[in-house]
Tab-separated table of all heavy atoms in Angstrom:
chain	number	residue	atom	x	y	z
A	570	ARG	N	1.403	-8.842	65.559
A	570	ARG	CA	1.970	-9.076	66.886
A	570	ARG	C	3.485	-9.346	66.768
A	570	ARG	O	4.261	-8.829	67.551
A	570	ARG	CB	1.282	-10.261	67.569
A	570	ARG	CG	1.628	-10.404	69.012
A	570	ARG	CD	0.759	-11.439	69.714
A	570	ARG	NE	-0.656	-11.144	69.688
A	570	ARG	CZ	-1.290	-10.340	70.598
A	570	ARG	NH1	-0.599	-9.841	71.560
A	570	ARG	NH2	-2.560	-10.134	70.497
A	571	SER	N	3.885	-10.101	65.757
A	571	SER	CA	5.326	-10.387	65.598
A	571	SER	C	6.071	-9.139	65.236
A	571	SER	O	7.235	-8.948	65.620
A	571	SER	CB	5.550	-11.510	64.608
A	571	SER	OG	5.161	-11.130	63.308
A	572	LEU	N	5.448	-8.244	64.469
A	572	LEU	CA	6.095	-6.979	64.148
A	572	LEU	C	6.388	-6.173	65.421
A	572	LEU	O	7.512	-5.654	65.580
A	572	LEU	CB	5.236	-6.123	63.193
A	572	LEU	CG	5.772	-4.752	62.900
A	572	LEU	CD1	7.043	-4.808	62.108
A	572	LEU	CD2	4.714	-3.905	62.213
A	573	ILE	N	5.442	-6.073	66.313
A	573	ILE	CA	5.655	-5.347	67.566
A	573	ILE	C	6.810	-5.991	68.368
A	573	ILE	O	7.668	-5.297	68.893
A	573	ILE	CB	4.381	-5.275	68.433
A	573	ILE	CG1	3.402	-4.281	67.789
A	573	ILE	CG2	4.656	-4.878	69.865
A	573	ILE	CD1	3.864	-2.833	67.801
A	574	ARG	N	6.820	-7.309	68.431
A	574	ARG	CA	7.924	-7.998	69.127
A	574	ARG	C	9.274	-7.645	68.495
A	574	ARG	O	10.252	-7.375	69.230
A	574	ARG	CB	7.723	-9.512	69.119
A	574	ARG	CG	6.659	-9.960	70.087
A	574	ARG	CD	6.629	-11.474	70.177
A	574	ARG	NE	5.306	-11.917	70.502
A	574	ARG	CZ	4.542	-12.716	69.809
A	574	ARG	NH1	5.010	-13.295	68.713
A	574	ARG	NH2	3.328	-13.053	70.201
A	575	ASN	N	9.346	-7.674	67.170
A	575	ASN	CA	10.586	-7.353	66.503
A	575	ASN	C	11.008	-5.907	66.710
A	575	ASN	O	12.171	-5.585	66.901
A	575	ASN	CB	10.462	-7.665	65.014
A	575	ASN	CG	10.456	-9.117	64.721
A	575	ASN	OD1	10.967	-9.962	65.488
A	575	ASN	ND2	9.818	-9.509	63.621
A	576	LEU	N	10.031	-4.996	66.690
A	576	LEU	CA	10.324	-3.612	66.968
A	576	LEU	C	10.843	-3.371	68.391
A	576	LEU	O	11.772	-2.597	68.612
A	576	LEU	CB	9.068	-2.731	66.701
A	576	LEU	CG	8.701	-2.544	65.233
A	576	LEU	CD1	7.310	-1.917	65.124
A	576	LEU	CD2	9.722	-1.750	64.480
A	577	MET	N	10.207	-4.046	69.333
A	577	MET	CA	10.667	-3.911	70.744
A	577	MET	C	12.069	-4.446	70.888
A	577	MET	O	12.910	-3.866	71.573
A	577	MET	CB	9.701	-4.654	71.655
A	577	MET	CG	8.318	-4.055	71.733
A	577	MET	SD	8.347	-2.343	72.331
A	577	MET	CE	6.576	-1.960	72.235
A	578	HIS	N	12.378	-5.547	70.199
A	578	HIS	CA	13.709	-6.106	70.238
A	578	HIS	C	14.719	-5.112	69.631
A	578	HIS	O	15.796	-4.916	70.196
A	578	HIS	CB	13.736	-7.423	69.476
A	578	HIS	CG	15.044	-8.113	69.535
A	578	HIS	ND1	15.541	-8.726	70.663
A	578	HIS	CD2	16.000	-8.272	68.562
A	578	HIS	CE1	16.749	-9.206	70.400
A	578	HIS	NE2	17.064	-8.979	69.160
A	579	ALA	N	14.376	-4.479	68.539
A	579	ALA	CA	15.257	-3.506	67.910
A	579	ALA	C	15.502	-2.310	68.865
A	579	ALA	O	16.606	-1.836	69.034
A	579	ALA	CB	14.681	-2.997	66.590
A	580	ALA	N	14.410	-1.844	69.540
A	580	ALA	CA	14.526	-0.751	70.491
A	580	ALA	C	15.435	-1.130	71.650
A	580	ALA	O	16.262	-0.315	72.118
A	580	ALA	CB	13.155	-0.320	70.988
A	581	GLN	N	15.291	-2.354	72.143
A	581	GLN	CA	16.162	-2.833	73.227
A	581	GLN	C	17.614	-2.865	72.823
A	581	GLN	O	18.496	-2.558	73.595
A	581	GLN	CB	15.725	-4.210	73.686
A	581	GLN	CG	14.426	-4.216	74.460
A	581	GLN	CD	13.904	-5.626	74.701
A	581	GLN	OE1	14.282	-6.600	74.024
A	581	GLN	NE2	13.021	-5.726	75.679
A	582	ASN	N	17.857	-3.202	71.555
A	582	ASN	CA	19.232	-3.320	71.068
A	582	ASN	C	19.959	-1.963	70.991
A	582	ASN	O	21.179	-1.939	71.098
A	582	ASN	CB	19.301	-4.000	69.701
A	582	ASN	CG	19.135	-5.483	69.795
A	582	ASN	OD1	19.380	-6.067	70.852
A	582	ASN	ND2	18.700	-6.103	68.716
A	583	VAL	N	19.227	-0.866	70.772
A	583	VAL	CA	19.905	0.413	70.725
A	583	VAL	C	19.764	1.220	72.040
A	583	VAL	O	20.336	2.304	72.165
A	583	VAL	CB	19.412	1.283	69.531
A	583	VAL	CG1	19.714	0.582	68.216
A	583	VAL	CG2	17.960	1.630	69.637
A	588	PHE	N	15.535	4.382	68.863
A	588	PHE	CA	15.501	3.636	67.599
A	588	PHE	C	14.499	4.320	66.693
A	588	PHE	O	13.489	4.865	67.148
A	588	PHE	CB	15.059	2.185	67.888
A	588	PHE	CG	14.701	1.413	66.686
A	588	PHE	CD1	15.671	0.878	65.852
A	588	PHE	CD2	13.400	1.183	66.334
A	588	PHE	CE1	15.367	0.126	64.727
A	588	PHE	CE2	13.021	0.457	65.232
A	588	PHE	CZ	14.026	-0.093	64.403
A	589	ILE	N	14.713	4.286	65.370
A	589	ILE	CA	13.766	4.830	64.426
A	589	ILE	C	13.772	4.023	63.136
A	589	ILE	O	14.817	3.508	62.720
A	589	ILE	CB	14.032	6.333	64.121
A	589	ILE	CG1	12.869	6.971	63.380
A	589	ILE	CG2	15.355	6.506	63.429
A	589	ILE	CD1	12.910	8.481	63.323
A	590	ALA	N	12.603	3.854	62.557
A	590	ALA	CA	12.437	3.126	61.274
A	590	ALA	C	11.107	3.534	60.637
A	590	ALA	O	10.354	4.324	61.211
A	590	ALA	CB	12.470	1.620	61.521
A	591	LEU	N	10.846	2.995	59.462
A	591	LEU	CA	9.602	3.248	58.759
A	591	LEU	C	8.705	2.035	58.875
A	591	LEU	O	9.186	0.902	59.028
A	591	LEU	CB	9.890	3.547	57.281
A	591	LEU	CG	10.788	4.750	57.067
A	591	LEU	CD1	11.207	4.828	55.583
A	591	LEU	CD2	10.028	6.037	57.434
A	592	LEU	N	7.402	2.237	58.761
A	592	LEU	CA	6.417	1.139	58.826
A	592	LEU	C	5.889	0.909	57.411
A	592	LEU	O	5.667	1.846	56.641
A	592	LEU	CB	5.270	1.503	59.752
A	592	LEU	CG	5.631	1.738	61.207
A	592	LEU	CD1	4.432	2.281	61.967
A	592	LEU	CD2	6.093	0.418	61.834
A	602	ILE	N	-0.120	-3.437	58.956
A	602	ILE	CA	1.312	-3.069	59.049
A	602	ILE	C	2.060	-4.294	59.424
A	602	ILE	O	1.857	-4.833	60.492
A	602	ILE	CB	1.488	-1.901	60.045
A	602	ILE	CG1	0.724	-0.685	59.640
A	602	ILE	CG2	2.984	-1.583	60.156
A	602	ILE	CD1	0.647	0.401	60.693
A	603	SER	N	2.930	-4.747	58.532
A	603	SER	CA	3.576	-6.027	58.799
A	603	SER	C	5.103	-6.006	58.678
A	603	SER	O	5.774	-7.004	58.943
A	603	SER	CB	3.044	-7.083	57.818
A	603	SER	OG	3.234	-6.648	56.478
A	604	GLU	N	5.672	-4.868	58.273
A	604	GLU	CA	7.110	-4.817	58.104
A	604	GLU	C	7.639	-3.467	58.593
A	604	GLU	O	6.886	-2.489	58.669
A	604	GLU	CB	7.476	-4.933	56.629
A	604	GLU	CG	6.994	-6.224	56.014
A	604	GLU	CD	7.268	-6.258	54.486
A	604	GLU	OE1	7.457	-5.213	53.859
A	604	GLU	OE2	7.226	-7.384	53.950
A	605	PHE	N	8.934	-3.445	58.935
A	605	PHE	CA	9.558	-2.158	59.157
A	605	PHE	C	10.817	-2.071	58.300
A	605	PHE	O	11.424	-3.056	57.979
A	605	PHE	CB	9.847	-1.886	60.646
A	605	PHE	CG	10.864	-2.787	61.326
A	605	PHE	CD1	12.167	-2.326	61.516
A	605	PHE	CD2	10.536	-4.055	61.802
A	605	PHE	CE1	13.101	-3.122	62.168
A	605	PHE	CE2	11.432	-4.806	62.483
A	605	PHE	CZ	12.735	-4.357	62.653
A	606	VAL	N	11.105	-0.859	57.892
A	606	VAL	CA	12.187	-0.584	56.978
A	606	VAL	C	13.203	0.297	57.716
A	606	VAL	O	12.817	1.395	58.178
A	606	VAL	CB	11.689	0.171	55.725
A	606	VAL	CG1	12.817	0.465	54.768
A	606	VAL	CG2	10.569	-0.640	55.036
A	607	VAL	N	14.432	-0.164	57.807
A	607	VAL	CA	15.490	0.582	58.471
A	607	VAL	C	16.312	1.269	57.378
A	607	VAL	O	16.765	0.602	56.442
A	607	VAL	CB	16.349	-0.301	59.330
A	607	VAL	CG1	17.489	0.490	59.968
A	607	VAL	CG2	15.524	-1.016	60.415
A	634	VAL	N	8.120	4.563	63.118
A	634	VAL	CA	8.186	4.072	64.487
A	634	VAL	C	9.482	4.568	65.109
A	634	VAL	O	10.515	4.625	64.431
A	634	VAL	CB	8.107	2.500	64.528
A	634	VAL	CG1	9.213	1.881	63.717
A	634	VAL	CG2	8.146	1.994	65.966
A	636	SER	N	11.497	4.856	69.221
A	636	SER	CA	11.413	4.512	70.669
A	636	SER	C	11.791	5.703	71.510
A	636	SER	O	12.482	6.602	71.089
A	636	SER	CB	12.378	3.331	70.969
A	636	SER	OG	13.734	3.715	70.783
A	660	LEU	N	4.146	4.985	65.444
A	660	LEU	CA	4.260	4.305	66.732
A	660	LEU	C	5.385	4.925	67.561
A	660	LEU	O	6.434	5.210	67.004
A	660	LEU	CB	4.503	2.817	66.544
A	660	LEU	CG	3.532	2.026	65.712
A	660	LEU	CD1	3.993	0.569	65.620
A	660	LEU	CD2	2.152	2.100	66.259
A	662	LEU	N	7.428	3.581	70.830
A	662	LEU	CA	7.708	2.490	71.752
A	662	LEU	C	8.331	3.070	73.020
A	662	LEU	O	9.210	3.909	72.933
A	662	LEU	CB	8.664	1.504	71.142
A	662	LEU	CG	8.454	1.128	69.685
A	662	LEU	CD1	9.588	0.222	69.172
A	662	LEU	CD2	7.131	0.437	69.500
A	666	TYR	N	9.903	-1.642	76.809
A	666	TYR	CA	9.808	-2.293	75.519
A	666	TYR	C	9.160	-3.692	75.621
A	666	TYR	O	9.730	-4.679	75.254
A	666	TYR	CB	11.128	-2.372	74.793
A	666	TYR	CG	11.845	-1.033	74.731
A	666	TYR	CD1	13.133	-0.886	75.222
A	666	TYR	CD2	11.213	0.057	74.180
A	666	TYR	CE1	13.759	0.332	75.167
A	666	TYR	CE2	11.827	1.308	74.122
A	666	TYR	CZ	13.100	1.424	74.629
A	666	TYR	OH	13.716	2.637	74.582
A	667	SER	N	7.962	-3.712	76.120
A	667	SER	CA	7.165	-4.953	76.157
A	667	SER	C	6.076	-4.796	75.077
A	667	SER	O	5.859	-3.735	74.520
A	667	SER	CB	6.542	-5.146	77.539
A	667	SER	OG	5.582	-4.132	77.802
A	668	GLU	N	5.382	-5.889	74.852
A	668	GLU	CA	4.338	-5.882	73.821
A	668	GLU	C	3.252	-4.818	74.019
A	668	GLU	O	2.647	-4.368	73.055
A	668	GLU	CB	3.710	-7.289	73.749
A	668	GLU	CG	2.957	-7.552	72.489
A	668	GLU	CD	2.562	-9.008	72.393
A	668	GLU	OE1	3.441	-9.854	72.145
A	668	GLU	OE2	1.378	-9.267	72.598
A	671	PHE	N	3.522	0.570	73.885
A	671	PHE	CA	3.612	1.471	72.735
A	671	PHE	C	2.332	2.254	72.611
A	671	PHE	O	1.307	1.918	73.179
A	671	PHE	CB	3.899	0.675	71.438
A	671	PHE	CG	2.713	-0.076	70.905
A	671	PHE	CD1	1.925	0.476	69.926
A	671	PHE	CD2	2.426	-1.369	71.377
A	671	PHE	CE1	0.826	-0.231	69.444
A	671	PHE	CE2	1.367	-2.053	70.890
A	671	PHE	CZ	0.546	-1.491	69.909
A	685	LEU	N	-3.495	-5.708	67.796
A	685	LEU	CA	-2.405	-6.646	67.413
A	685	LEU	C	-3.079	-7.950	66.956
A	685	LEU	O	-3.936	-8.474	67.646
A	685	LEU	CB	-1.503	-6.922	68.601
A	685	LEU	CG	-0.778	-5.734	69.182
A	685	LEU	CD1	0.114	-6.160	70.345
A	685	LEU	CD2	0.060	-5.023	68.123
Side-chain angles (χ1 to χ4, degrees):
R570 192 172 298 274
S571 66
L572 174 67
I573 287 294
R574 285 189 208 122
N575 289 334
L576 288 169
M577 294 300 179
H578 183 72
Q581 288 170 339
N582 282 339
V583 299
F588 167 77
I589 191 166
L591 300 169
L592 297 171
I602 299 169
S603 57
E604 300 175 341
F605 68 99
V606 179
V607 178
V634 57
S636 65
L660 303 179
L662 316 175
Y666 309 123
S667 66
E668 197 171 287
F671 74 96
L685 299 180

